[in-house]
Amino acid sequence: MSRKYEDRIQELLNKMTLQEKVGQLRQCGPSLVGAFEVSFEELLDMMFDGRITQEEFARLMGTAKQDFREDDLRDGRIGSYNGIGDAATANRLQKIAVTETRLGIPLLFGYDVIHGFRTVTPIPLAESCAWEPELWERTGRMAAEEATAAGVHMTFAPMVDVSKDARWGRISEGAGEDTLLAGLYGAAKVRGFQGDDLSAADSMAACVKHFAAYGAAEAGRDYNRVDMSMQRLWEEYLPPYKACIEAGARAIMPAFNDINGVPCSVNEWLLKEVLREKWGFDGMTVSDANAIAECVNHGVARDRAEAAALALEAGMDMDMTSEVYIENLEKLVTEGQVKEESLDRAVADILRIKFELGLFDHPYRTDEERQSRAMLKPKYRSLAREAAVKSMVLLKNDAASGEMLLPLDKSKKIAVFGELASSKSEMTGAWAIGAEGNDCVSLTEALEAEGILFTYTEGICNGKVDRGAIEENAANADVLLIAMGEHKEESGEAASRADISIPEVQMKLLEALAAFSKPVVVLLFNGRPLTLSRVHEKATAVLEAWHPGVEAGNALVDILYGKENPSGKLTATFPFASGQCPMYYAHMNTGRPGGKSKFTSKYLDTPLEPVYPFGYGLSYTSYEYRDLKIEKKEKAFLVSVYVKNVGSRAGEEIVQCYVQDKAAKRVRPVKLLKAFDKVRLEAGEEKQVCFTVPFEELGYYDWNMKYVVEDGEFVFYVGKNSSDCLNASVILERSERR
Ligand code: BGC
């Protein structure tokens, strides 16, 4: 632990009243008050269940004012705000904290900067498909530069919840199903957000979330229980959080869910033993929104007071918006039901981060002028465009008239269909709260800007395929482009789906277009894997664009017309049917692996394989792999393979290296990603790609939760994706293990 600020923290603690201490632990969101007689939450419910229209909701919201509880702030009863993303408001409140409270302790401003602040970059699931930590760090840095200019000190990101279940809406917010990728993604974001010096005016603290295993919610239903073995927790779910802490993340957010019966918000084992004792974390913990109070609903606390006591004693420092700390802690400490030293420890964690951010010396790290100059700079737009291009995954590209359909020739007459092709705001995707939809470039705008002649029809009217409208445009075009997928509200928080197929009306439109017997390009905008077998069958080409952010249209045109060669590869499996979920490549083998015989592990009505496997993605060129070799160095395997670009244009190939422990004392995954590399190859060029895989990384947790590396046979798989690999096996001798 760095001792740099401990004396100053102690000095402050000595001066603080109980009320001031509890105040530091309170994070408020500005609450909305307005010309409506119900609470904001009730109003939201009314919109969702149709009692009021979206327009009515928007009108009422327009009348609302934000209440910042300034009297409480003056009394030292607020330590932090959530959700304030403008410098003027932040500085006004900060001035009250610094000049009008008894001790002048500055406020901490937290905000969800998930994939860009104003310059919205692709949703994290999309960006992870670039398999490029250096890119992830640069977009993280850009987000920090904009957000800090708007007064933000801490982002509630990265989200590194491994998710193997495409039904879970929040799969969009993380790096997909793989543990290694999630850790690399998270660590890169932490470096980008925090920069080299947390006290710099453009650095923001990273709050890693949601600790832990939130992505394993049963049945993919958001907020649902998580029940899993300890081995699985340690091997598959915990490593990404640890990677972020090792990268220096200064805060962590315990998750909504319980793990094996104990909600993370009050889970002492998780918050003390794992996080602090084993991993040496000395930053701050902040609850998820309202999560401490929700321990009453979980049924582990009798009432709000007990929830507050349990959370504080378990190691939860800050209460995000549930108010149970401010309501109860003073009394609980006075009555001796909660130790004052537990309170002091939590306050110290919060003061420490405020010191580290430099807030005691520079409480106002920005102003309106800086904010007005900081947003959407041309260099930010070009980075957002690069990220969007690298995130897109080409899923199918068949020949039409003898040539691959994509890239398109500009002389081809195209007809564009689907409302998502002209939508700007849908391009931001879930969790883009600092975004302005109008900043986004839609596909139709980008086509126009590129001087491409096209016709455009939404194609669906009042929930039905508008056959009259599509007829003429489709008949006159050479190539039909259809934008399909999900709206941004259909993924993200509280947006789980039991059926992850494309809405039937969109499928009808695709079928109507396919009936013209012309090449059809499907462009997909979505926040999660979808079941695409019917789309795959009907389309000539399929490009997964995800929710690509502000440069959506430009990035699409770059790829569609061949200025850029697609290189993204999937970081989550695309199942054949929703009923296969959770479906993921790194599954354990069974005693009866799926096969021809009836009594093997499979479905009667669905193939065993996904439509697109983990790691899959095509390019406008193609690659061949040869000569996989495994050599032993001291304490590591050196894996090498030759990769050749056998097509006619340059491209980037993501070469993946997986391993399988053939026979161990516990069942091990059929394949587990251990390393990857993105290599650029000119047409005709060949390169040798090498990976070093330390023996130490081949282990697992045994029955007694001891990490062991066993000797014996290991099979290495190296290739284009998790199911298209060369393989070679090697024996690790007992004497070589350590
Ligand atoms: C989400 C968090 C988010 C928080 C603050 C919660 O509902 O689960 O991911 O950081 O809200 O906005």
Side-chain angles (χ1 to χ4, degrees), residues 272-285:
K272 286 194 176 155
E273 202 177 312
V274 176
L275 185 62
R276 307 239 177 224
E277 288 161 29
K278 282 202 186 349
W279 295 351
F281 178 71
D282 67 346
M284 164 190 151
T285 51

Side-chain angles (χ1 to χ4, degrees), residues 517-592:
S517 301
K518 297 188 174 187
V520 177
V521 182
V522 169
L523 302 174
L524 289 165
F525 299 93
N526 45 300
R528 58 151 63 73
L530 298 171
T531 51
L532 294 177
S533 60
R534 283 170 70 197
V535 171
H536 185 85
E537 206 180 289
K538 293 282 167 201
T540 324
V542 183
L543 179 64
E544 175 56 83
W546 307 105
H547 290 135
V550 285
E551 286 293 307
N554 290 332
L556 276 164
V557 168
D558 288 345
I559 289 187
L560 288 174
Y561 286 91
K563 197 164 135 209
E564 301 282 355
N565 188 356
S567 59
K569 299 223 184 187
L570 298 177
T571 55
T573 302
F574 276 46
F576 187 92
S578 304
Q580 289 171 311
C581 293
M583 189 178 207
Y584 47 93
Y585 82 95
H587 60 88
M588 302 293 175
N589 232 342
T590 69
R592 295 183 172 192

Side-chain angles (χ1 to χ4, degrees), residues 254-403:
F256 284 126
N257 54 279
D258 72 281
I259 293 184
N260 302 342
V262 184
C264 299
S265 302
V266 294
N267 195 321
E268 190 166 347
W269 172 80
L270 198 63
L271 305 188
K272 286 194 176 155
E273 202 177 312
V274 176
L275 185 62
R276 307 239 177 224
E277 288 161 29
K278 282 202 186 349
W279 295 351
F281 178 71
D282 67 346
M284 164 190 151
T285 51
V286 51
S287 79
D288 204 340
N290 205 42
I292 307 180
E294 288 166 14
C295 288
V296 178
N297 292 345
H298 276 289
V300 295
R302 267 187 315 275
D303 52 23
R304 291 165 63 84
E306 190 180 20
L310 288 172
L312 188 77
E313 294 291 13
M316 181 75 88
D317 296 335
M318 189 174 267
D319 173 9
M320 181 192 281
T321 63
S322 91
E323 306 284 59
V324 293
Y325 276 6
I326 199 77
E327 284 165 17
N328 298 291
L329 282 184
E330 233 182 292
K331 185 160 175 272
L332 288 169
V333 172
T334 314
E335 288 172 356
Q337 293 184 55
V338 161
K339 295 191 277 302
E340 187 158 1
E341 58 179 282
S342 305
L343 177 62
D344 286 357
R345 180 200 35 74
V347 177
D349 289 342
I350 291 160
L351 294 177
R352 187 174 307 113
I353 204 164
K354 291 183 175 181
F355 275 113
E356 289 170 349
L357 282 159
L359 296 175
F360 283 89
D361 300 326
H362 304 286
Y364 315 100
R365 305 204 314 168
T366 184
D367 54 29
E368 286 166 85
E369 220 273 311
R370 179 177 153 212
Q371 177 170 359
S372 71
R373 280 184 291 107
M375 306 296 150
L376 282 171
K377 292 180 182 173
K379 65 173 183 182
Y380 292 166
R381 277 204 175 269
S382 77
L383 178 54
R385 186 168 179 164
E386 178 190 339
V389 164
K390 289 177 166 171
S391 302
M392 292 183 187
V393 186
L394 183 63
L395 298 175
K396 180 175 182 186
N397 193 17
D398 272 5
S401 331
E403 278 177 31

Side-chain angles (χ1 to χ4, degrees), residues 82 112 156 170 209-210 214 253 256 288-289 320 431 493:
N82 173 3
D112 288 277
F156 303 118
R170 301 197 83 169
K209 68 189 187 187
H210 307 83
Y214 180 37
M253 181 188 289
F256 284 126
D288 204 340
M320 181 192 281
W431 272 118
E493 185 172 354

